[in-house]
Amino acid sequence: MPLLGGARPPIAALLALLLAVAGATALVLGDRDRASLDAAVLTSQQHVAEDGALSLRASLDESATDLQRAAALFTGPEPVPADTVLDKLGKVYNKWRGTAVIDPVGGTLLAARGENIPLATVLKGAPEAKGDDKDGKAAFGLGPRLVKLRSGETRMLVVAALRGGDRPRLLVASGTLNVPGISSGEDRTLLVVDSAGTVLASDGPSVARKSWAEKARRTAAADSAKTPEPGGHPGASGHLMGGGKRGEERTAVGYAAAGRAPGETSAAGALGLSVITSVEVTEDISAVRTQAFGLAAAGILLALALVVGWVLLRTVQRPLLQLYLESRRLSRGELDRPVRQFRGREPARIGAALESLRKQRLGGRPTRTGRARGGFGTRGTVIVCAAVLLAWSAPLLFLLNRAGSTVTVPQQLVEDQRRRTDTAADRVRKALNEGWADVASVAQIVGAGDGKDGADKAVLETTLREHSRYRSVYVLDGDGKVLSRAGDSPRHPGGKKPHPDSVVQLNTSGKEPAVAAYAAVPGGKGRTVVGEYDTQFLISLVTRPGLGQVWLVDKKHRIIAADRAHGYRAFAKLPGRHLNDLAVSARRDSDGTAILHRSRNSSIAAAAPFSDNGAVKGLDWQVISAQPAAWLELPEYAAERHTMLAGLLGVTAAVACLGWLHIIVIRPLRNLADQAEALAGGDRKTVLFPQHHDEVGAVVRNLELIRQQLRPATGASAKPAGRN
């Protein structure tokens, strides 16, 4: 009757897994052709487009939100004059090309600033506002919309309701739809298109703009039904590749929709806008040759698998079956021939004990057989087999087929790293400036009041509730004393006068950076409104996939914030002298700097300083990014990762199967040897129980039968353990 379990399953599994690893090694380590451009270049274009789409959406959302919040601040029992509203709005925000206040019921223009606004479009979009809606709720539901002027330019109109008095009014602002803040250069084209594929804004050289816009629109529409991955881009995104002959310039295209994730609120996300970027890249037709290496490694593993399998069959499985047959013969009373001799320490010990038990059944006396000498233990055999397999896996995992520091990294990737870092710096700069503008608008409202704590506090609490970028908002007097606050404790230095209108870094050491926006209250006798930025808000601004490690640093190159994936310690130095040198170099170059740093582990690094304008001009901050070259989707690194994968699979197969064999067979076999020698030495009281129903368990059952057969000779009785 064949035995199930025991040594057979782990040995068979080991051979099957090693065969699979050998096949996988031969397959995945094929020659890596660079045809169709490096995947890293195409993925980089997709990330550039995603950065642009997020920047565009954030800018449009901020414009809509700012107008709505500004309109809410003018709410009161008595209507604020239309000219006063526009004058105060113009002092704080300069992003809009034109602003107006209109009466939606009669279509009357009450006040206007800047360029003319197509009022017919606004009134046509709000037919409910012409009725009896006294509080402006119908108009308040109007979202931003895109309008094409007669000149061909595109404007985004934002509408908000001005509540106050007995007649509703609408506050309208028009802004230019600009290409997002990505430096295009001479070789990159940037497009903003609508859902129909119409180009609304463009920058850079014209490279088949209409055809790319239409193709990207169709591809994005096909991808829009897919659910965005957690942490991924909130909308359709991808990359395309233009045609052309191998070895010639081809067009790498990335596209991303400025959409919104499920459950996310975004007014601009409903406009159906997409960002398309394209760049001309010269294709490299060389290949990474690893096929011969993969076949050789697979052949060696097959040979080792056969050797290891043969050794385990000869030293573990076959002796176990023979011990089972010998012990069963003795338990049945077949004592006419001696027990065969075994090789290997544990089988030899058990065989010697069985021979002693056979002689005792024939009338001999119990004897101590002693430990068999000269044999190699089964545990040692398993360890040697594991060492042989690890000798194949470890070099693949740690040494062989390394990409090294001489890998050819396309210059386009270095340039894309610079552009994306520059985009990140622009995003942080704009967010800080927008925050200051919000604080300045609050200062306008505080200045219009009587300065009482209750009125100011209500405005501050509303501002903190509606702006997630702040940790606290408060009002200081001319001597720096806190008059009113909302949120966490102020970190303005006590007894120090408020800073002038600007964004200021309040500390250079400590556990958390303190950054605040200061805006003086008009006619407030030295009063100043301060909004302190939340550190998590700064971290969210520099967190972008595919950019590597990103740091926001001050003028002394101390870390203010870093991306969530890698963490950081506030005010720590940059990790590497080359990053400090890069930051110094970028400070001299307003367009930023990028390098390919060659070292033991090559990396692409870039630095982008803030442009010297707006409320942040005194900060002198930079955004630094560094991405290990090994993270790029280049053929050399793909071959290295596949080599490491083959080694890891080999280690896993060896450790799993040989560990299984040791736990299930080798360790019980060593215990069995001790029990057999004790029984041969005269121990008739210890009952032998099999732990597993396998070869070792079968030998244990036969030894228990032999023990029961020997026990009556001593004058004692034993409970039968059953027959085999």
Side-chain angles (χ1 to χ4, degrees), residues 44-55:
S44 180
Q45 307 318 307
Q46 178 179 344
H47 286 318
V48 170
E50 290 174 353
D51 288 351
L54 288 178
S55 178

Side-chain angles (χ1 to χ4, degrees), residues 491 505-514 535 554 558-560 568-573:
R491 292 186 289 192
Q505 180 180 336
L506 298 178
N507 62 347
T508 57
S509 62
K511 295 183 179 180
E512 187 177 17
T535 304
D554 62 13
R558 294 173 294 228
I559 298 176
I560 301 298
Y568 75 104
R569 184 168 60 88
F571 304 109
K573 293 294 184 180

